[in-house]
Amino acid sequence: MCVPGCHEAVMRQLSRRGFFRGVGAATLAAATLPAAVAPARAQTVSFQKAVDLTHSLPPDFPTYFGDPQLEIEKVFAFDKDGFNLNVWHLNEHTGTHMDAPIHFSQDGQSADQIEIEKLVVPIAVIDVKAKAAEDPDYQVSPDDIRAWESANGELPEGCCVAMNSGWDAHVGTDKFRNADGDGVMHFPGFHPEAADMMISDRKVVGMGVDTLSLDFGKSPDFKTHYTWLPTGRWGMEAIANLDAIPASGATLVVGSPKIVGATGGPSRLIALV
Amino acid sequence: MCVPGCHEAVMRQLSRRGFFRGVGAATLAAATLPAAVAPARAQTVSFQKAVDLTHSLPPDFPTYFGDPQLEIEKVFAFDKDGFNLNVWHLNEHTGTHMDAPIHFSQDGQSADQIEIEKLVVPIAVIDVKAKAAEDPDYQVSPDDIRAWESANGELPEGCCVAMNSGWDAHVGTDKFRNADGDGVMHFPGFHPEAADMMISDRKVVGMGVDTLSLDFGKSPDFKTHYTWLPTGRWGMEAIANLDAIPASGATLVVGSPKIVGATGGPSRLIALV
């Protein structure tokens, strides 16, 4: 009952990238889960407007594995039935969506288990548009984080750090996946060392990207995923509209699904500015 | 490809209730769409904590039509594949979920088309728990709205008005649907006259209930739905946890899906208090 071609497309993609060679190591890493970050959020937060950071999600929204991941089945129609109603056949990792810890771990939190305090958080936006325009394989580095902090102060406790690579502008074109002749994609992401820094030296709960993956497109091993998610932190992929909020000072409300056992899922992201 | 029994269950339920006799009238009502409310929200909003108003959504979450409306298909498993991933087969009107205008109209807004300004709004909570405990067929009336206003001032412009009937406490039991021997359900809802008042005499954009329908359970004709949704306003059903927020002063963030053409869908509701 998978959406058309989904399993086959994934297998094709993973095999091309030698992904399965890394599974053993990943299992080991996931076995050593540190305690989740528990942000303190007692202060008063103020805002004046809401900004939508969510892409519209049609059935042909671009996907990591290449094939469509959403089918909308119209079950009732107003003309005939007096109301409209659809059933969705939907891969969790489609559109602007969450990666829950269990997506890349044996027994991490599913989307429904993430504490509400981790879903309303400060958002820090790291602008790497110029670097990504020059090098589509760019990876956000610890130096990028330090540069953000030089301008804005230390990353706030319990925040989400989002990469603004300018990639959301490509969502309607092949440039969003930017696959070469061998099917290897080229888009920016977070370097595993940046993930390490945000885990060990800061108190960050969420990692966001405006691309199809927390890892850069040509990653052969999902190393940033395996570094980040098993520690009890969440990821958010295919964020839209990050140009519309400031580098510092906005609050992110993560409207992630509360479906039991979900490994993530399409989310409504709203920034309060 | 509908989830098991969904079409059959709906037809059974609608036929039992003589629903199809009302379709002609409904079509007529929906043809006269007034302009949507456009709330003004320029002032500063402050909050100190986030409260989750969303039920966890397992496959057996109670449904209006009685049969399960969610199947979770596990497509990849960490042990075998190095990551976990599911595909959902999901009726849009399941769990804590939105009714978009197009759910009960020919050409109203779908969920993805609702303006962001209508998704971050003041929430007014009308407590009818005592009345609903005494009469499960209770309908929120214009008098209930006036009583709320006597205590809290006029309903704020662009707000959501939510019924707290105490029904969320029944979600794990048959009392949530409360069907009698004839299959007719008995739970509270909004009276169509209350809907009329909120459309004509106030500037309300959303109607919320902690039950399975905007209409009370034994409604034969979905009259509140047909009064409310075709005017460009949204509904929210099966809200959880309304006891945890004040009658007045909280802000609701509606994490509704942005799937193109959706007639609604499971939503993450977060109140800022």
Side-chain angles (χ1 to χ4, degrees), chain B residues 27-74:
Chain B
T27 306
L28 186 63
T32 58
L33 301 184
V37 173
R41 302 267 304 141
Q43 73 274 30
T44 297
V45 177
S46 297
F47 67 93
Q48 293 193 298
K49 68 169 180 173
V51 176
D52 195 357
L53 303 183
T54 320
H55 283 293
S56 290
L57 179 47
D60 64 354
F61 192 88
T63 67
Y64 184 85
F65 291 116
D67 286 345
Q69 295 185 170
L70 165 64
E71 282 185 18
I72 299 174
E73 180 187 7
K74 184 146 193 167

Side-chain angles (χ1 to χ4, degrees), chain A residues 11-88:
Chain A
M11 286 307 174
R12 207 161 58 231
Q13 183 79 19
L14 294 181
S15 166
R16 176 187 298 137
R17 307 173 69 162
F19 175 68
F20 290 102
R21 292 195 298 276
V23 171
T27 306
L28 185 65
T32 58
L33 300 182
V37 173
R41 300 268 303 142
Q43 74 275 30
T44 297
V45 176
S46 297
F47 67 93
Q48 293 194 298
K49 68 170 180 172
V51 177
D52 196 357
L53 303 183
T54 321
H55 283 293
S56 290
L57 178 49
D60 63 352
F61 191 90
T63 66
Y64 185 85
F65 291 116
D67 286 345
Q69 296 185 167
L70 164 65
E71 281 185 20
I72 300 174
E73 180 188 7
K74 184 147 195 168
V75 179
F76 293 96
F78 188 80
D79 275 350
K80 184 167 54 74
D81 304 306
F83 63 102
N84 294 302
L85 187 150
N86 304 308
V87 168
W88 304 334

Side-chain angles (χ1 to χ4, degrees), chain B residues 254-273:
Chain B
V254 179
S256 48
K258 210 168 173 180
I259 289 182
V260 171
T263 72
S267 301
R268 191 60 173 260
L269 288 195
I270 296 176
L272 307 174
V273 181

